[in-house]
Amino acid sequence: DIQMTQSPSFLSASVGDRVTINCKASQNINRYLNWYQQKLGEAPKLLIYNANSLQTGIPSRFSGSGSGTDFTLTISSLQPEDVATYFCLQHNSWPRTFGGGTKLELK
Amino acid sequence: EVQLVETGGGLVQPGKSLKLTCATSGFTFSTAWMHWVRQSPEKRLEWIARIKDKSNNYATDYVESVKGRFTISRDDSKSSVYLQMNSLKEEDTATYYCTAGSLYWGQGVMVTVSS
């Protein structure tokens, strides 16, 4: 199985900050990487698919980059409503595997 | 409006069975690949099963941890997908989500396996 290593596990930032979350795959997954946001008590919500494509309805302050084994989710200007846990998911091969998550809090 | 609603969760003893149902509406179910994903109490996510559409012969795949114990199935006439869970273990305790093509998700249903 492909292992997804996500960092950091916890992140504290202020409103307006630029935030980056990283995900590293144990082998080449091309661009088959999604990013999800999960708020407390809710299901995961798709933000970015195929590494850099913004899902419809998601604010443009969210962006994704990377290919191969190294990927990044960037929030250009953190908003209070962005407090959540973020997960990466590889869908290059079965079984699909998630990163361990990044819990984002406001400073 | 897209809706996915999971039902059938609850408290069950180890070794017993449970069947989850995910009823959907608002999208073309018959051509969607449907999946089950679970989230442990520690918030770890695990993609556990998928079933492809008719054009792909309803092929199924399972993660190793549930292979031989869980069965995913679908009924296109009811726009529903199912997860039959047998020989349940305490480590199967989780919130179970159904998802359509990674985009649409249900609200989740809790399964607790405990004596």
Side-chain angles (χ1 to χ4, degrees), chain A residues 1-22:
Chain A
D1 297 0
I2 296 175
Q3 307 303 315
M4 303 300 296
T5 303
Q6 194 172 334
S7 63
S9 300
F10 298 94
L11 184 54
S12 182
S14 300
V15 173
D17 282 355
R18 182 181 182 87
V19 169
T20 59
I21 298 170
N22 300 296

Side-chain angles (χ1 to χ4, degrees), chain B residues 18-57:
Chain B
L18 207 57
K19 186 174 184 177
L20 305 182
T21 296
C22 174
T24 77
S25 61
F27 65 98
T28 306
F29 181 85
S30 61
T31 58
W33 292 17
M34 297 300 297
H35 311 257
W36 287 95
V37 176
R38 66 183 179 185
Q39 187 166 37
S40 68
E42 298 76 27
K43 302 305 180 185
R44 184 178 69 92
L45 285 162
E46 185 178 33
W47 206 288
I48 59 171
R50 73 176 174 190
I51 185 165
K52 299 180 182 179
D53 63 350
K54 184 177 181 180
S55 68
N56 287 281
N57 299 313

Side-chain angles (χ1 to χ4, degrees), chain B residues 3-4 6 32 34 37 42 51 54 65 67 70 74 91 97 101-102 106:
Chain B
Q3 285 195 318
L4 293 85
E6 304 98 334
M34 297 300 297
V37 176
E42 298 76 27
I51 185 165
K54 184 177 181 180
S65 59
K67 202 174 289 185
F70 290 13
R74 64 191 291 161
E91 51 264 41
Y97 296 98
S102 307

Side-chain angles (χ1 to χ4, degrees), chain A residues 1 34 36 38 40-46 55 87 89 91 94-100, chain B residues 33 35 37 39 43-50 61-63 97 101-103 105-107:
Chain A
D1 297 0
N34 294 351
Y36 291 86
Q38 187 177 32
L40 203 61
E42 298 182 6
K45 177 181 179 182
L46 180 62
Q55 175 59 29
F87 295 92
L89 167 77
H91 58 101
W94 184 263
R96 300 184 180 189
T97 46
F98 287 93
Chain B
W33 292 17
H35 311 257
V37 176
Q39 187 166 37
K43 302 305 180 185
R44 184 178 69 92
L45 285 162
E46 185 178 33
W47 206 288
I48 59 171
R50 73 176 174 190
D61 293 287
Y62 301 91
V63 71
Y97 296 98
S102 307
L103 172 57
W105 291 64
Q107 84 288 351

Side-chain angles (χ1 to χ4, degrees), chain A residues 25-104:
Chain A
S26 61
Q27 62 191 74
N28 181 17
I29 59 169
N30 301 293
R31 302 181 78 86
Y32 295 112
L33 190 284
N34 294 351
W35 289 100
Y36 291 86
Q37 176 194 67
Q38 187 177 32
K39 296 184 177 180
L40 203 61
E42 298 182 6
K45 177 181 179 182
L46 180 62
L47 301 176
I48 303 285
Y49 63 95
N50 294 343
N52 62 2
S53 295
L54 189 67
Q55 175 59 29
T56 302
I58 301 302
S60 58
R61 63 179 179 274
F62 291 92
S63 64
S65 63
S67 64
T69 60
D70 293 286
F71 301 86
T72 299
L73 172 70
T74 299
I75 307 173
S76 59
S77 178
L78 186 66
Q79 300 301 303
E81 59 266 32
D82 300 336
V83 168
T85 301
Y86 293 82
F87 295 92
C88 61
L89 167 77
Q90 70 80 18
H91 58 101
N92 180 77
S93 63
W94 184 263
R96 300 184 180 189
T97 46
F98 287 93
T102 296
K103 189 172 183 179
L104 177 58

